[in-house]
Amino acid sequence: MKADERGAAGSRTPGRATRGETVPTVPPASQAARRTAVDVSALLERGRTLASPVLRAAVDRLAPPMDTVAAYHFGWIDAQGRPADGDGGKAVRPALAVLSAEVTGAAPQTGVPGAVAVELVHNFSLLHDDLMDGDEQRRHRDTVWKVHGPAQAILVGDALFALANEVLLELGTVEAGRATRRLTRASRALIDGQAQDISYEHRDRVSVEECLEMEGNKTGALLACASSIGAVLGGADDRTADALETYGYHLGLAFQAVDDLLGIWGDPEATGKQTWSDLRQRKKSLPVVAALAAGGDASERLGEILAADAKSSDFENFSEEEFAARAALIEEAGGREWTAEEARRQHTIAIEALDAVDMPDQVREQFTALADFVVVRKR
Amino acid sequence: MKADERGAAGSRTPGRATRGETVPTVPPASQAARRTAVDVSALLERGRTLASPVLRAAVDRLAPPMDTVAAYHFGWIDAQGRPADGDGGKAVRPALAVLSAEVTGAAPQTGVPGAVAVELVHNFSLLHDDLMDGDEQRRHRDTVWKVHGPAQAILVGDALFALANEVLLELGTVEAGRATRRLTRASRALIDGQAQDISYEHRDRVSVEECLEMEGNKTGALLACASSIGAVLGGADDRTADALETYGYHLGLAFQAVDDLLGIWGDPEATGKQTWSDLRQRKKSLPVVAALAAGGDASERLGEILAADAKSSDFENFSEEEFAARAALIEEAGGREWTAEEARRQHTIAIEALDAVDMPDQVREQFTALADFVVVRKR
C-alpha cells in the first residue's frame, strides 16, 4: 500500500495541534471504554509467567561465558554477576503467543515454545542493533557491548538466534517446522528493517512510505509472528495463521506509531527516557517524517532547521528549549496528529483482521484488549 | 573422550621429527594408493556446480545493500562492485552434502538445499568471526568489515544465517524440518567453538583436550552436518544420519589437524598464507598445544619462549629465522608428528564410521576418497 493512498501526511491538511497533553492517548475514549471486561495486566502477567522459566532454561543451555552475558542482557544479573530484578519489558509478545494458541482450542501452554522463540529472536536483534547503532544504554542499563565487549554482543546474539530455532525444532512436530519457517521469515524482515534503518541514517530525507516499511519490518513482522505462532503450534491452518499475522503486523505498526509519539512527547517519568529522546538522537521517526512531508510553512521551516542541525557541531549542547521548539514545529506541521491518526488507523485494521478468524469470543476480546493496551500505553 | 585416553601428546614419547618436507602428507602412501578409482576433482566440481547457482539465487534475495555485501564476501564481485572470479574454496562441504543424498538412493540434487544451507551457515560464521577476531584478510582479500564496515558484517552475517534456515524450511517437508534441526545444532556448536577460541586467546595454556573440543565445534560439527544433510533430505533414518555425522565430525577433526600443520609448515605458494602463518598469529593450534603438553627439554624451552613472546612488544618485527626456530622447537618436542598422527587417527575413525551405514559401494568409495583428499591436500 502506498502512503499516499492511505491518507499520509503529504495528502492531508495538517491537523490542529492537540496541546497540553504530555502523553498521547491515541484511541477515542469511547472505544477504550467499550471494553473493560478483560484484565490486560493479568493477560500480560500470564504470558510472562508461562514463558519466563522456559526462556531461562533455554538461556542456561548456553556455554559459559555466553550464559552470563545473556543473563546480563535479560536483566537477571548485574554487571558484577549479582542477581538482579530486571525490567522484563511490557511482555506483549509472550502474551500474544500464548493467547494465539487458544484460537485453536489448545491450552495457552502450547504457545510457550513460540513465545520463547520470539523473545529469543527479539533479543538477538537488540544485542546486534545496539552494537551496530552504538547505543550505550537500554532499559536504564549499559548495553552488552559496553559491558562485555563487541565480540560477546555478536556471539551471544548469534547464540540466541540459533537457540530460537532450536527451542521450536526440538518439538519435532510438523507444526514446529511451520512455526520455525514463519519465525525465519520474521527474522529476515527484522534484519531488512535494520538495514533500512542504517541506510536512512545517512540520508537527508526519508518518505513516510519508507518509514512505514522500515517500521513494519522492525516491529510489525515479529509482532505478526508472536500473534500467530501459538496458533500454528496448536495446528491452525495457514489461512488462520495469516489472518493472525495481519492482526499482529498492523498492531506492530500501531505500537511503533505510539512509540514514536512517546519518543518525542512521552513523559520521561513513565518512559524512562530523556525528554525529546528521539529528537536528541535525530531519529527520522514517523512524526518527523510526516511533518516534513506535510508541506506548508511549519513543514518548510522544520526542514530548514533539521538540515542545519544535521551539520551543527553544537547539537550535543542544545538546550531543552531548542528541542521543545523543534517538537512544537513538528506538531504545528501536523506530524503529531498524523501519527496519532496512523496509530488509530493501524489499530482498526488489526482488530478487523480478527474477523476472518473463527475463535472463542473470550479469546477475541483478549486480542482486542491487547490491541487497545498497545495504543493507550504511556511507556 | 579424554585426550589422555587416546594417546595425546602428554602420554607419548615425542616422535622423531620428520624433516625436509615443506608440506605434510599425512596418511601412509599405501593407504592413499589403494584408492585411485574415484576422481575427487570431479566430485568437488559436481558439488560446486550443483550448489553454486542455488546459493547465488538465495543470496540475490537479500535486500540492498546486503546482497552486494554478500556478493563481495563470496568473491563474486570486487570492492568496486565489478564482477570477480573469486576463489570459491575447496568446496568439500557441498560435495559431501550432495553425495550424502545418494546414500538413500536419492539423486544428488536432493542434497542441494542442504549444501546451500551449510554454505550459508559457514559464511555467516566467517563474517562474524573475522570481525570478532579483527582479521583483515580472507582468501587474499580484505574482509567485509574492512571494506563495508562492522555493521554490514554483522547484518549480512545475520541475514545469511536466517537465509540458511529459510532455504531448507521452504521445502515444507518433514525431512526439511529434521535437516534444519541438525543444522541448528551444528550452528550452536560453531558458536560455542568461537566462544572457546576467544576465551583461549586470553589464556597462557590450553590443553590438548580443550583444543580438540574447540576444533570439533568449529570444524567438526558443520562437516558432520554437511556429510549427513543430503541423506536426511533423502529420508534417511536418524541412525544413518548419526553415523554419517560421526564420519563428518572426525573428518572435520582430521581436516583441522591438517590445517594446523599447514598453518605452520605449509608451502606459502600453495596455501596463499604467509610463512609460519599460525605462529605469527600466536594461534594455540594443535602442534603447539601438543608440543607444550609433551614434556621434555624442547617442550619446556618452547613454553618459556612462547611465554616471553606473549609479553614481547617487538613480536610484530620478528624475523623469518625467529619463527623458524619456534617451528623447529615445536617439531623437536613432537608437536608436528603428534598432529600428523592425530590426523591419521581421525581419518581412520571417520572411514570406520561408514561401516555402520548401508550404502551403494560407489558412494562409499567416494566418501572414502573425499576423506583421503582432506588429509593429503596441500592447501
Side-chain angles (χ1 to χ4, degrees), chain B residues 99-116:
Chain B
L99 178 59
S100 79
E102 294 188 287
V103 168
T104 64
Q109 283 77 3
T110 304
V112 168
V116 170

Side-chain angles (χ1 to χ4, degrees), chain A residues 86-98:
Chain A
D87 170 12
K90 290 172 283 290
V92 173
R93 284 176 305 269
L96 286 167
V98 299

Side-chain angles (χ1 to χ4, degrees), chain A residues 62 66 124 128 131-132 151 154-155 158 161-163 165-166 169-170 180-181 184 188 191-192 194-195, chain B residues 62 66 124 128 131-132 151 154-155 158-159 161-163 165-166 169-170 180-181 184 188 191-192 194-195:
Chain A
L62 298 180
M66 295 186 287
F124 134 71
H128 283 189
L131 174 58
M132 286 185 250
I154 297 172
L155 203 56
D158 292 344
F161 192 13
L163 207 51
N165 292 321
E166 191 171 294
L169 289 168
E170 68 192 3
T180 312
R181 190 174 168 190
T184 297
R188 285 249 288 126
I191 295 162
D192 285 353
Q194 173 67 4
Chain B
L62 299 180
M66 295 187 286
F124 134 70
H128 284 189
L131 175 59
M132 287 185 247
I154 297 172
L155 202 55
D158 292 344
F161 193 12
L163 206 51
N165 293 321
E166 190 172 295
L169 290 167
E170 69 193 1
T180 312
R181 189 172 168 194
T184 296
R188 286 251 285 127
I191 295 163
D192 285 353
Q194 173 66 3

Side-chain angles (χ1 to χ4, degrees), chain A residues 194-250:
Chain A
Q194 173 67 4
Q196 289 163 332
D197 205 358
I198 289 175
S199 82
Y200 294 171
E201 264 172 40
H202 304 294
R203 284 170 37 180
D204 289 340
R205 281 285 174 116
V206 174
S207 71
V208 170
E209 193 184 350
E210 287 171 324
C211 186
L212 287 171
E213 191 189 334
M214 188 261 282
E215 295 193 343
N217 280 329
K218 284 196 87 163
T219 309
L222 199 61
L223 263 182
C225 188
S227 303
S228 59
I229 198 163
V232 173
L233 293 174
D237 59 22
D238 278 340
R239 211 188 120 269
T240 301
D242 289 345
L244 291 171
E245 281 208 2
T246 303
Y247 160 86
Y249 183 81
H250 292 282

Side-chain angles (χ1 to χ4, degrees), chain B residues 1-266:
Chain B
M1 203 181 316
K2 289 229 174 86
D4 56 0
E5 292 169 3
R6 34 217 292 291
S11 59
R12 293 175 65 256
T13 312
R16 198 158 51 80
T18 45
R19 292 181 198 285
E21 287 176 286
T22 315
V23 180
T25 303
V26 168
S30 64
Q31 188 178 16
R34 237 193 303 136
R35 313 166 188 124
T36 47
V38 179
D39 181 348
V40 172
S41 310
L43 211 49
L44 295 171
E45 189 53 34
R46 180 179 76 166
R48 214 188 323 252
T49 306
L50 286 173
S52 276
V54 183
L55 178 64
R56 285 202 183 215
V59 169
D60 273 349
R61 285 189 217 169
L62 299 180
M66 295 187 286
D67 53 351
T68 308
V69 175
Y72 172 77
H73 169 75
F74 282 105
W76 303 332
I77 58 173
D78 67 16
Q80 284 71 43
R82 291 171 302 219
D85 188 18
D87 171 11
K90 291 172 282 291
V92 172
R93 284 176 305 269
L96 286 167
V98 300
L99 178 59
S100 79
E102 294 188 287
V103 168
T104 64
Q109 283 77 3
T110 304
V112 168
V116 170
V118 166
E119 284 309 278
L120 288 168
V121 166
H122 175 60
N123 284 284
F124 134 70
S125 79
L126 295 183
L127 277 163
H128 284 189
D129 289 2
D130 284 344
L131 175 59
M132 287 185 247
D133 301 342
D135 288 341
E136 302 187 356
Q137 291 265 317
R138 168 166 302 280
R139 299 175 195 146
H140 314 282
R141 304 165 78 226
D142 284 343
T143 45
V144 163
W145 70 267
K146 274 295 276 184
V147 176
H148 295 281
Q152 290 299 327
I154 297 172
L155 202 55
V156 175
D158 292 344
L160 296 184
F161 193 12
L163 206 51
N165 293 321
E166 190 172 295
V167 162
L168 285 177
L169 290 167
E170 69 193 1
L171 296 173
T173 60
V174 174
E175 288 76 24
R178 290 174 55 220
T180 312
R181 189 172 168 194
R182 284 177 186 265
L183 182 65
T184 296
R185 196 163 61 195
S187 308
R188 286 251 285 127
L190 219 57
I191 295 163
D192 285 353
Q194 173 66 3
Q196 289 163 331
D197 205 359
I198 289 174
S199 81
Y200 295 171
E201 264 172 40
H202 305 292
R203 284 169 38 181
D204 288 340
R205 280 286 173 114
V206 174
S207 71
V208 169
E209 193 185 349
E210 287 171 325
C211 185
L212 287 172
E213 191 189 334
M214 187 260 283
E215 296 192 343
N217 279 330
K218 283 197 88 163
T219 310
L222 199 60
L223 264 182
C225 188
S227 303
S228 59
I229 198 164
V232 173
L233 292 174
D237 59 23
D238 278 340
R239 211 188 120 269
T240 300
D242 288 346
L244 290 171
E245 281 208 2
T246 303
Y247 159 86
Y249 183 81
H250 291 282
L251 184 60
L253 283 172
F255 184 101
Q256 193 55 52
V258 172
D259 236 40
D260 286 355
L261 289 169
L262 294 172
I264 299 178
W265 294 280

Side-chain angles (χ1 to χ4, degrees), chain A residues 57-364:
Chain A
V59 169
D60 273 348
R61 286 190 217 168
L62 298 180
M66 295 186 287
D67 54 349
T68 308
V69 175
Y72 172 78
H73 168 76
F74 282 105
W76 304 331
I77 57 173
D78 66 16
Q80 284 72 44
R82 292 172 302 220
D85 188 18
D87 170 12
K90 290 172 283 290
V92 173
R93 284 176 305 269
L96 286 167
V98 299
L99 177 59
S100 79
E102 295 188 287
V103 168
T104 63
Q109 282 76 3
T110 304
V112 168
V116 171
V118 166
E119 283 310 278
L120 288 168
V121 166
H122 175 62
N123 285 283
F124 134 71
S125 80
L126 296 182
L127 277 164
H128 283 189
D129 289 2
D130 284 343
L131 174 58
M132 286 185 250
D133 301 342
D135 288 341
E136 302 188 355
Q137 291 265 317
R138 169 166 302 279
R139 299 174 195 145
H140 313 283
R141 305 165 76 229
D142 284 343
T143 45
V144 163
W145 70 268
K146 274 294 278 183
V147 176
H148 295 281
Q152 291 299 326
I154 297 172
L155 203 56
V156 175
D158 292 344
L160 297 184
F161 192 13
L163 207 51
N165 292 321
E166 191 171 294
V167 162
L168 285 177
L169 289 168
E170 68 192 3
L171 296 173
T173 60
V174 175
E175 288 75 25
R178 290 174 56 220
T180 312
R181 190 174 168 190
R182 284 177 186 266
L183 182 65
T184 297
R185 197 164 58 196
S187 308
R188 285 249 288 126
L190 219 57
I191 295 162
D192 285 353
Q194 173 67 4
Q196 289 163 332
D197 205 358
I198 289 175
S199 82
Y200 294 171
E201 264 172 40
H202 304 294
R203 284 170 37 180
D204 289 340
R205 281 285 174 116
V206 174
S207 71
V208 170
E209 193 184 350
E210 287 171 324
C211 186
L212 287 171
E213 191 189 334
M214 188 261 282
E215 295 193 343
N217 280 329
K218 284 196 87 163
T219 309
L222 199 61
L223 263 182
C225 188
S227 303
S228 59
I229 198 163
V232 173
L233 293 174
D237 59 22
D238 278 340
R239 211 188 120 269
T240 301
D242 289 345
L244 291 171
E245 281 208 2
T246 303
Y247 160 86
Y249 183 81
H250 292 282
L251 184 60
L253 283 172
F255 184 100
Q256 193 55 51
V258 173
D259 236 42
D260 286 355
L261 289 169
L262 294 173
I264 299 178
W265 294 280
D267 177 2
E269 292 266 318
T271 62
K273 294 178 180 172
Q274 278 188 290
T275 52
W276 325 113
S277 164
D278 284 357
L279 297 183
R280 292 177 195 274
Q281 291 181 59
R282 308 181 206 239
K283 258 180 92 170
K284 297 187 183 78
S285 67
L286 267 188
V288 177
V289 166
L292 290 172
D297 277 1
S299 173
E300 277 169 31
R301 255 187 302 145
L302 179 70
E304 286 158 19
I305 289 173
L306 295 186
D309 288 356
K311 291 176 199 144
S312 167
S313 57
D314 197 39
F315 188 79
E316 311 277 310
N317 304 318
F318 275 18
S319 67
E320 282 287 312
E321 287 67 31
E322 285 171 295
F323 288 116
R326 281 151 186 77
L329 216 45
I330 293 168
E331 194 163 336
E332 199 183 325
R336 182 178 186 174
E337 183 48 35
W338 185 85
T339 305
E341 178 59 34
E342 175 68 9
R344 281 189 286 269
R345 227 180 58 79
Q346 296 293 348
H347 172 270
T348 304
I349 301 176
I351 304 279
E352 285 175 0
L354 297 173
D355 293 345
V357 184
D358 191 32
M359 67 177 93
D361 284 348
Q362 195 197 338
V363 175
R364 190 181 308 273

